[in-house]
């Protein structure tokens, strides 16, 4: 129906133009001045104006809703994201900061206790630092890199770009938690923070070892465009 109205309007304009034109003495056509044509043309019917305005408002609302949904999705977190980060937490526990640390290799590069770290995972210190910052938030990453195990005495050092380990601070200790089949429960979540509980199994040395649940609280925070663990979960 709207298209018929538009066709009718176009036809009306054409008729005005044809009817309003006069023949000149030299056989040409004289076009009426703009003010004459303006007085002859009719405005768009009110119902068409209303429809156009409604369509414009609907399009604006749709665009605003889409933008809001996109922002929410960018900062959403689900169990898969948390599990991925906690799996890296487990790697750190088993290989870097918990049960053991990276081993030294070769001859000392500084003093008698600073060695190049033996690892196939990190090519240099920059790669090691990038990994730590991809798993933990800035505050915790700084602590692990510069103040672990003691403030101002980091276990891992940057010596001429190499990833090195201080054997005075490195070592292994008993760690009896099994995270192989851990359970994860999200406790609370909003746009920039999510708290959860992970539960593994612990079996400490004893005459009759007994496995027990080992629940720990954890949190991830949204920082620099991604989710990071708030703390190393031990």
């Amino acid at each position: 129906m709207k298209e018929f109205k538009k066709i009718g309007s176009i036809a009306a304009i054409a008729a005005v133009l044809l009817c309003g034109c006069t023949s000149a003495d030299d056989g040409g056509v004289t076009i009426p001045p703009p003010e004459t044509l303006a007085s002859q043309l009719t405005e768009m019917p009110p119902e068409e104006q209303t429809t156009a305005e409604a369509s414009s408002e609907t399009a604006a609302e749709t665009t605003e809703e889409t933008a809001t949904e996109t922002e929410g999705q960018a900062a959403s977190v689900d169990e898969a994201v948390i599990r991925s980060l906690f799996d890296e937490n487990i790697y750190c526990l088993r290989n870097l900061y918990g049960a053991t640390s990276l081993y030294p290799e070769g001859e000392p590069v500084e003093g008698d206790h600073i060695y190049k770290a033996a690892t196939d995972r990190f090519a240099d210190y920059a790669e090691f630092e990038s990994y730590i910052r991809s798993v933990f938030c800035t505050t915790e990453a700084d602590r692990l890199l510069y103040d672990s195990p003691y403030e101002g005495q980091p276990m891992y050092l940057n010596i001429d770009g190499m990833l090195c380990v201080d054997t005075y601070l490195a070592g292994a200790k008993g760690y009896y938690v099994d995270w192989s089949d851990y359970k994860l429960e999200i406790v609370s979540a909003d746009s920039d923070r999510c708290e959860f509980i992970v539960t593994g199994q612990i079996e400490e040395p004893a005459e009759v070892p007994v496995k027990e649940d080992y629940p720990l609280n954890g949190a991830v925070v949204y920082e620099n465009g991604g989710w990071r663990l708030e703390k190393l979960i031990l």
Side-chain angles (χ1 to χ4, degrees):
M1 181 61 73
K2 293 180 181 179
E3 293 187 3
F4 282 114
K5 289 182 179 179
K6 292 180 181 178
I7 294 172
S9 297
I10 294 171
I13 294 171
V16 170
L17 290 173
L18 291 175
C19 294
C21 297
T22 60
S23 299
D25 294 339
D26 58 2
V29 177
T30 301
I31 304 299
E35 58 271 16
T36 303
L37 284 176
S39 65
Q40 293 173 338
L41 296 176
T42 58
E43 296 181 351
M44 180 186 295
E47 61 271 19
E48 292 191 18
Q49 292 183 5
T50 302
T51 302
E53 292 172 357
S55 298
S56 177
E57 292 175 359
T58 301
E61 291 173 358
T62 301
T63 301
E64 184 177 350
E65 290 174 359
T66 301
T68 301
E69 290 175 0
T70 301
E71 291 174 0
Q73 291 170 358
S76 65
V77 65
D78 57 23
E79 184 174 322
V81 173
I82 299 173
R83 282 186 176 275
S84 178
L85 288 170
F86 186 68
D87 288 345
E88 296 305 328
N89 184 94
I90 294 172
Y91 172 82
C92 291
L93 285 177
R94 290 175 175 170
N95 302 280
L96 302 177
Y97 292 103
T100 188
S101 59
L102 295 177
Y103 291 99
E105 71 174 13
E107 298 296 323
V109 297
E110 188 175 292
D112 62 351
H113 57 100
I114 308 297
Y115 291 77
K116 185 178 184 300
T119 174
D120 294 329
R121 179 158 187 175
F122 308 111
D124 50 29
Y125 186 89
E127 192 170 300
F128 171 74
E129 179 177 0
S130 179
Y131 168 75
I132 295 299
R133 295 194 182 281
S134 73
V135 178
F136 302 99
C137 71
T138 300
T139 301
E140 180 68 351
D142 286 347
R143 184 187 73 81
L144 293 172
L145 291 168
Y146 311 130
D147 297 309
S148 178
Y150 308 111
E151 184 175 354
Q153 299 182 59
M155 186 189 325
Y156 300 107
L157 303 164
N158 181 352
I159 306 296
D160 298 328
M162 294 185 299
L163 173 59
C164 297
V165 58
D166 186 338
T167 56
Y168 283 179
L169 303 173
K173 61 182 179 181
Y175 189 78
Y176 308 107
V177 184
D178 179 9
W179 294 108
S180 59
D181 191 27
Y182 67 86
K183 298 177 183 178
L184 188 147
E185 176 189 356
I186 295 177
V187 177
S188 65
D190 55 33
S191 62
D192 58 6
R193 180 182 171 83
C194 176
E195 297 182 356
F196 59 90
I197 297 174
V198 283
T199 304
Q201 294 282 306
I202 187 169
E203 185 177 352
E204 297 190 50
E207 291 186 8
V208 182
V210 177
K211 277 192 175 183
E212 298 178 337
D213 284 346
Y214 186 75
L216 291 176
N217 295 319
V220 293
V221 294
Y222 193 73
E223 179 185 272
N224 299 325
W227 290 95
R228 305 287 187 271
L229 285 171
E230 188 175 57
K231 297 284 185 181
L232 176 66
I233 302 172
L234 296 170

